Amino acid sequence: MDLEFDRKHIWHPYTSTINPLHCYPVTEANGVYLKLKDGPEIVDGMSSWWSAIHGYNHPTLNTALREQSEKMSHVMFGGITHQPAIDVCKRLLQLTPSNLEQIFLADSGSVAVEVSLKMALQYWHAKGQSRPKFLTLRHGYHGDTFAAMSVTDPNNSMHSLYKGFLPEHIFADSPSVGFWEQWDESDVDDFSSKMAQHHSDIAAVILEPIVQGAGGMRLYHPTFLKRVRELCDHYGVLLIADEIATGFGRTGKLFACEHADIQPDIMCVGKALTGGYMTLAATLTTKHVADTVCGGEAGCFMHGPTFMGNPLACAVASASLDLIADGHWQQQVANIEMLFAELLPTLGDHQQVENVRWLGAIGVVETKTPVNMEVIQKHFVDHGVWIRPFGKLIYMMPPYISQPEHIQQLVSSISSALDKPECFVKS
Ligand SMILES: *Cc1c(COP(=O)(O)O)cnc(C)c1O
């Protein structure tokens, strides 16, 4: 593999051309393993950014993709429909909250978020109200396109770089009471007062239910989400649940909203939708929101990507949702959660550790100083695992098929990294 070419010419996510970090060449992926070129198979603790929930090279998903590719890889979705799209949408409606009836297929998570924001804006426009603002939480993450970024944490996504271009929305304090902690009613004070103050300008609240992912791996209390739903109902504001990271079982429930027993007005799914095979996402909403949008001035919902409803992606997503529907994920995720609950507290006393936390198949070790990316990445690979931390967050989101020995190996490689001062930036 021409790694020199890669280093010289190819941009990887969030990387510098002046100081490109080392990239590890992967030639194959099977089950929970990534095969390194001229190297060993290493245990994947990331599910390729939380998407490959059933593991790699899955026979059922492979078959779905191959069979579809022999029929039709892509046709436009404008004025044309096809069985793979109908199949995936039927399955989505069966799995998602019962109030959601209308599906928009998008090509990535960020686009699904853009679509959800546009739906909310078109909804209020159709009702003859100007509501140009969104209310969201600090430490949130909703994607890298501009509108998605505008509701992502202002510091993490460096809003200052785009000042004057990026719309300015309203940020409430992120929840501080953890998922397993005792609920404290004051946790929702800031959100509640922002809502009281600005509600007539707010088209929708957008948040990640229960788990704030890329913005800080924060696991918050279900009652916070319950209160948000109550406040949205009270003030007549729409609620958008971004389940792109949490959807399809990751938190131990099929969707994280279920932890609080609430239903959103609009929901975004992505990441694990195709079991990590292809890029596909979806925005779902209620008949009421959809019909209101379409009763407005435009007479339709104004969006339509070129690769909308791509048949290959839909076919593999249907196969992945069938694997979800068989229910094995529940025991698999519960087993991973049990192991995290047993193993992570043993790291909690380490002098480098600020906090450990877990929920479902998510395990997080927050450190006191940021990691030295290059050094800790090599440490993990040398220890036979793929874990990609950011800042002070070393986290695991392994495939659901991971066995106890895989989880143990992930945790013990974190444990040995904590003992190496060179894995962290000097404070
Ligand atoms: C990853 C993610 C997105 C963006 O999805 P992309 O497919 O990377 O565009 C949006 N919201 C949440 C919560 C995510 O985790």
Side-chain angles (χ1 to χ4, degrees), residues 49-50 107-111 113 141-145 148 208 211 213-214 242-246 268 270-271 279-281:
W49 277 334
W50 330 344
D107 24 18
S108 73
S110 300
V111 171
V113 168
Y141 179 81
H142 297 286
D144 284 356
T145 54
E208 296 153 279
V211 179
D242 179 350
E243 293 254 14
I244 291 167
T246 49
C268 305
K271 287 202 162 88
T279 176
L280 183 70

Side-chain angles (χ1 to χ4, degrees), residues 320-368:
S320 177
L321 294 180
D322 283 344
L323 292 176
I324 288 288
D326 79 16
H328 291 309
W329 66 270
Q330 253 166 322
Q331 195 56 53
Q332 292 171 329
V333 171
N335 290 344
I336 294 171
E337 181 178 89
M338 243 158 37
L339 276 165
F340 282 151
E342 179 191 322
L343 300 172
L344 285 178
T346 66
L347 307 183
D349 293 334
H350 197 285
Q351 45 142 2
Q352 178 57 261
V353 173
E354 180 67 38
N355 173 271
V356 294
R357 44 193 190 261
W358 61 87
L359 177 66
I362 306 170
V364 186
V365 177
E366 184 169 341
T367 57
K368 294 214 165 105

Side-chain angles (χ1 to χ4, degrees), residues 372-393:
N372 178 323
M373 200 56 175
E374 190 109 48
V375 177
I376 203 167
Q377 193 75 85
K378 181 163 186 321
H379 166 90
F380 286 133
V381 170
D382 289 345
H383 283 71
V385 300
W386 182 250
I387 295 175
R388 184 140 176 102
F390 60 95
K392 298 174 182 173
L393 296 162

Side-chain angles (χ1 to χ4, degrees), residues 14 20 40 51 56 81 84 123 151-152 155 159 161 163 177 198 213 243 246 248 296 307 315 365 371 406 414:
Y14 289 95
S51 60
Y56 301 95
T81 194
Y123 173 86
V151 289
T152 286
N155 299 326
H159 282 196
L161 290 180
K163 214 172 165 50
V177 178
H198 300 286
E243 293 254 14
T246 49
F248 309 112
F307 285 97
V365 177
V371 300
H406 301 131
I414 294 177

Side-chain angles (χ1 to χ4, degrees), residues 159-223:
H159 282 196
S160 54
L161 290 180
Y162 314 100
K163 214 172 165 50
F165 180 76
L166 204 64
E168 291 180 17
H169 295 301
I170 306 159
F171 288 85
D173 290 346
S174 47
S176 63
V177 178
F179 184 88
W180 304 101
E181 290 171 11
Q182 183 72 35
W183 171 244
D184 174 353
E185 210 57 60
S186 69
D187 212 30
V188 76
D189 281 355
D190 188 58
F191 182 91
S192 173
S193 72
K194 296 252 157 63
M195 188 74 138
Q197 197 186 338
H198 300 286
H199 63 89
S200 55
D201 280 335
I202 299 174
V205 168
I206 177 166
L207 49 66
E208 296 153 279
I210 305 299
V211 179
Q212 293 190 289
M217 305 305 297
R218 298 162 70 97
L219 319 173
Y220 66 87
H221 200 281
T223 306

